[in-house]
Amino acid sequence: MDEESAVLGVDVGGTQIKWVLWSPGAGVLDHGELPTPRSGPPAVLSAVAELVGGGKAGTAGVAVPGHLTDDLRAVRLLPNLPGPWEGLPFAAELESRTGVRVRLVNDARAFALAELKLGAARGWQDVLFVTMGTGIGGALALGGRVLRAGGDRVGELGHMICRPGGPACGCGSQGCLEAVAGGSALVTAVRAGGGRAGTPEEVVREAERSDGLERSVLETAGSALALVLGNVVAYSGVSAVVIGGGVAPAFTFMRPAVEAELATRVRLVGRVDLRLAELGSGAGALGAALAAAPRAPHSTNGDI
């Protein structure tokens, strides 16, 4: 496959829409980002349509931070983007506006696919992936393939209960990992303790400067993450955990709790390799391109 058959990958995030033009033969040909409109689905749809219809490629993969319908053509749930997303026929709308074939994919599964094929998990078969951002996402690869179910729902670590009866989550439940350790939850906890950090990045910077409130919040969140990861590792038997996402720097302060928890599972599953993602903030867009790429005979490019 050459540049003429390149695929566009788009990752719709809570703050940024990232895109990458990718070819299996030539790798990344171009990339960029733009702010995610906050005025609702029509504005987001228009922004993505402008990217997809820009003449860069005849096929596009679009990663979204939520669940899809079983046919992978429409949005079923996007808990962290404002507006009435439920039932929005995202793929059909984009194809109608641009004439480009579109495949939708969950953003965490896109991240996992990119890291599995091209990043930190290259050569591994059984891997748990964690994305730390506004919320917390996840994916699971077994036998070298990222697992999926109807609506692309396998791997939702952020919505596993770690604190029964705890903070309300955007999914409608209480005490989810995302509501305790996601980026927004970290800011909320710091503010509740009298801190002034307005973003997860500011929480991390303050934790790096001093051993105070912000570091305590991150360590508490780390205990919640450790509980969930320990349980999933015990259940799945994975041999590696890959951590990525825009708030991944916070993991520095969560790592001791996670390592201690995984150490308790050694007799059951053996040593688990705990590593950071390699592909940076563009992994979701790259994974979306991989998911949408035409499959060559006997090729694993695009498997998910």
Side-chain angles (χ1 to χ4, degrees):
M1 184 182 291
D2 55 22
E3 182 171 347
E4 292 183 357
S5 54
V7 180
L8 181 70
V10 180
D11 181 16
V12 181
T15 58
Q16 297 286 322
I17 296 174
K18 297 180 174 65
W19 63 269
V20 62
L21 187 65
W22 176 83
S23 163
V28 175
L29 304 171
D30 199 4
H31 65 93
E33 62 183 46
L34 65 153
T36 303
R38 301 297 294 178
S39 56
V44 175
L45 182 60
S46 294
V48 176
E50 187 172 347
L51 288 173
V52 172
K56 295 179 182 295
T59 303
V62 178
V64 296
H67 289 172
L68 308 173
T69 53
D70 285 349
D71 62 2
L72 305 181
R73 299 286 292 168
V75 173
R76 193 180 71 81
L77 174 69
L78 261 66
N80 292 318
L81 283 180
W85 286 95
E86 185 174 352
L88 180 70
F90 211 170
E93 285 282 352
L94 290 174
E95 290 175 346
S96 175
R97 296 188 189 195
T98 66
V100 173
R101 183 174 64 87
V102 173
R103 177 176 180 182
L104 298 183
V105 61
N106 172 272
D107 61 346
R109 260 67 83 196
F111 160 83
L113 182 60
E115 291 290 343
L116 182 67
K117 300 299 182 184
L118 304 172
R122 290 187 311 276
W124 291 82
Q125 295 292 304
D126 306 318
V127 187
L128 176 63
F129 298 88
V130 184
T131 58
M132 301 178 65
T134 302
I136 293 180
L140 183 66
L142 294 179
R145 293 180 64 105
V146 178
L147 301 188
R148 289 181 51 216
D152 212 356
R153 294 191 296 270
V154 174
E156 289 292 356
L157 289 174
H159 300 290
M160 297 186 70
I161 304 298
C162 64
R163 190 174 296 169
C169 182
C171 74
S173 190
Q174 288 181 282
C176 292
L177 178 62
E178 180 169 295
V180 174
S184 294
L186 299 177
V187 173
T188 298
V190 166
R191 289 295 187 90
R196 297 184 178 182
T199 67
E201 292 77 13
E202 290 176 3
V203 174
V204 175
R205 284 197 293 270
E206 288 300 320
E208 290 171 342
R209 290 192 186 107
S210 65
D211 184 9
L213 170 65
E214 290 78 12
R215 188 174 297 187
S216 176
V217 165
L218 293 178
E219 289 171 350
T220 298
S223 296
L225 178 62
L227 175 65
V228 169
L229 292 185
N231 286 335
V232 175
V233 164
Y235 178 76
S236 64
V238 298
S239 52
V241 177
V242 174
I243 309 286
V247 189
F251 185 69
T252 297
F253 302 97
M254 302 178 183
R255 188 174 191 126
V258 173
E259 289 180 337
E261 178 63 30
L262 293 181
T264 69
R265 310 287 179 162
V266 168
R267 291 185 64 192
L268 180 66
V269 298
R271 181 178 176 273
V272 177
D273 195 315
L274 187 61
R275 55 179 62 185
L276 293 177
E278 293 181 355
L279 299 176
S281 62
L286 183 55
L290 283 166
R295 293 174 177 81
H298 309 299
S299 170
T300 58
N301 286 329
D303 284 356
I304 187 169

